[in-house]
Amino acid sequence: MKSNREIIIAFNTAFDNSNSYDIAKFIADHFEWHLLGDSVIKGKENVLQFFADHPDMRVITVTKDHIIVDGDSASVAGEVQCTDKTGQIYDMYYCDVYELANGLITKMISYTVNKKK
């Protein structure tokens, strides 16, 4: 069985590549993704549908400046450059906070801040 740190790192790799097949391996059926200030996506199927509905959203570059794991909680922070469904490029700082149970991610809270130009 993978450690929580290994799960978080593998999940982030899958997430950064919009790899729904691998994302599904690491999240619970009742997974919740809180995009603070925007929306909450509840349920594994709805998260996978989000990626299916947004095929043009892509990560261009990403750093993982901090990976912290403490028991069944974790966070990953860094900088990301990505495109939205219209192709517009966003440069942001991010921090994702995770809750895990029984080897699966049950909750992800995403904090993002646009970089000033």
Side-chain angles (χ1 to χ4, degrees):
M1 182 174 200
K2 292 184 180 219
S3 70
N4 284 347
R5 182 177 183 79
E6 292 169 322
I7 290 166
I8 292 300
I9 290 170
F11 171 79
N12 271 266
T13 299
F15 192 91
D16 293 344
N17 291 299
S18 299
N19 183 333
S20 295
Y21 177 77
D22 283 342
I23 289 169
K25 293 178 188 177
F26 299 107
I27 61 175
D29 290 339
H30 60 281
F31 176 82
E32 292 184 7
W33 180 15
H34 295 249
L35 296 113
L36 293 184
D38 186 36
S39 61
V40 177
I41 302 172
K42 293 184 178 184
K44 179 189 279 191
E45 293 306 317
N46 290 327
V47 170
L48 299 178
Q49 189 62 51
F50 173 86
F51 283 97
D53 290 345
H54 299 89
D56 297 327
M57 292 179 62
R58 296 280 178 225
V59 170
I60 299 168
T61 62
V62 65
T63 66
K64 307 228 180 332
D65 301 329
H66 304 281
I67 300 173
I68 301 168
V69 179
D70 183 17
D72 286 336
S73 298
S75 65
V76 177
E79 299 179 35
V80 64
Q81 185 180 62
C82 59
T83 61
D84 69 5
K85 61 185 175 184
T86 67
Q88 182 173 342
I89 295 175
Y90 289 91
D91 286 313
M92 299 179 287
Y93 301 103
Y94 76 94
C95 180
D96 292 325
V97 178
Y98 303 91
E99 294 177 12
L100 298 97
N102 302 315
L104 294 172
I105 302 168
T106 59
K107 188 175 188 179
M108 176 175 160
I109 304 168
S110 295
Y111 299 83
T112 58
V113 177
N114 288 326
K115 291 182 179 181
K116 292 184 179 181
K117 295 185 178 184

